Amino acid sequence: MREPLSRDRIIAAALLLLEERGLAGLTMRELGNSLGVEAMSLYRYVPGREELLDAVVERVLEGLWSDPDVRRAPVDGWQDFMVRLAHGVRRIALSHPQAFPLIASRPPEAPWLRPPLRSVAWVELFLSALVSSGFDDRSAADAYRSFTSFLLGTLLLEVAESGAKITPADDPALERDRPAGPLPPGDFPTVLRLRPELERDDIDREFDEALEDLVERISRRLPAGRSDG
C-alpha cells in the first residue's frame, strides 16, 4: 500500500533530493517523480518552490532542538553554551552540506537576524544566555554578530570544499531579495529589546575586530622570543 502524501513526507523527500542532486536538481517535477506522484499533487501541501525551500531550511534547523549536546541555557557558563551551539550548527552543516547554503540565503524570520542563527527562538536563547551571564545589551548583540559571522564564513567554506554550491548564480530560478515577514508569534522579549542593537550596521568594525582577533591568535603561535618585526 502506497504511503499517503503529506507535507512532512514532501519536505523529507525534498531534503533527500536536495542532498543527492543539489539545489538545481530540486524541482517540483523531480520531487513529484521521487514520490511517485504528479507535480501538481504537491501544491496541495506546499504552495510553491520558494515555500518548499523555506520548509526545508526549517526542517534542517530543527536538528538543533534535538541535538543532545546543544544546551538551551548556560548551565556551565556562556563559553560552554556558545561552543556547544557552534558545534551543533557545524553538525547540521556537515550532515546537510547541500542544504546549508540555503540557511545562509533564504530570508530569516526578521531582516536584522543573521544566518545561521536565523531562528528568532534560537536568537532569544543566545542573547538571554549572554545577558544572564553579565553581558550588557550592546556586548550581547556584538557577540551575536561576531558568532554568526564566524560560523557562516567557516561553515560555508567547509561545505563548499565538499562540493556544495553556495552562490545564488548556481540557481538562476531562486527568488532574490524577498523581504522577510514579521516576527512569528511568541514571547521573545530579549530579541525585541535588543532589536535596535541587532539592526546596527557595524560591518566595518566587526571585520577589523575579527581580523585583530585572528592576528592575535596567530601571534600566540609564534615561537618564544619571536616577534612580527
Side-chain angles (χ1 to χ4, degrees):
M1 182 177 178
R2 176 184 294 180
E3 183 180 354
L5 200 59
S6 66
R7 179 179 172 87
D8 186 73
R9 186 177 170 220
I10 289 170
I11 295 170
L15 180 55
L16 182 61
L17 189 61
L18 174 62
E19 292 301 332
E20 290 178 347
R21 304 187 188 180
L23 186 57
L26 177 56
T27 66
M28 299 302 276
R29 175 177 294 182
E30 290 301 319
L31 180 57
N33 289 339
S34 71
L35 290 165
V37 301
E38 295 292 330
M40 290 303 297
S41 302
L42 305 176
Y43 291 97
R44 177 183 173 188
Y45 303 92
V46 183
R49 186 168 183 263
E50 295 302 316
E51 290 79 9
L52 176 66
L53 295 179
D54 287 340
V56 167
V57 168
E58 291 175 6
R59 174 63 57 86
V60 170
L61 289 176
E62 285 174 3
L64 273 181
W65 297 106
S66 57
D67 190 325
D69 291 327
V70 173
R71 293 180 173 170
R72 304 184 188 184
V75 293
D76 288 319
W78 67 266
Q79 297 97 330
D80 175 79
F81 169 86
M82 191 178 291
V83 169
R84 287 174 179 272
L85 182 56
H87 282 287
V89 175
R90 185 169 184 263
R91 281 189 287 274
I92 284 177
L94 297 183
S95 297
H96 304 287
Q98 297 291 342
F100 186 76
L102 282 178
I103 296 175
S105 61
R106 302 302 297 170
E109 291 183 334
W112 32 270
L113 297 182
R114 294 184 176 190
L117 283 191
R118 47 179 295 128
S119 159
V120 66
W122 271 108
V123 176
E124 175 71 22
L125 288 177
F126 183 90
L127 296 174
S128 297
L130 297 190
V131 170
S132 68
S133 300
F135 285 68
D136 61 24
D137 285 359
R138 172 160 289 197
S139 60
D142 284 346
Y144 164 74
R145 284 192 289 267
S146 297
F147 182 71
T148 52
S149 295
F150 164 76
L151 281 181
L152 193 62
T154 302
L155 296 179
L156 281 178
L157 179 61
E158 191 166 7
V159 299
E161 289 176 346
S162 72
K165 305 295 186 182
I166 63 172
T167 64
D170 293 319
D171 182 19
L174 194 62
E175 184 179 348
R176 297 175 178 84
D177 300 324
R178 183 160 63 91
L183 285 178
D187 185 15
F188 307 112
T190 314
V191 171
L192 292 174
R193 190 180 79 251
L194 271 64
R195 176 173 177 171
E197 294 294 336
L198 298 174
E199 289 181 312
R200 275 193 303 114
D201 182 7
D202 282 343
I203 190 66
D204 292 336
R205 180 181 60 82
E206 291 171 31
F207 178 84
D208 289 340
E209 289 181 353
L211 183 58
E212 289 177 9
D213 289 343
L214 175 62
V215 170
E216 182 179 348
R217 289 197 301 270
I218 292 174
S219 69
R220 290 200 295 266
R221 298 177 184 177
L222 286 170
R226 297 288 299 274
S227 70
D228 61 0

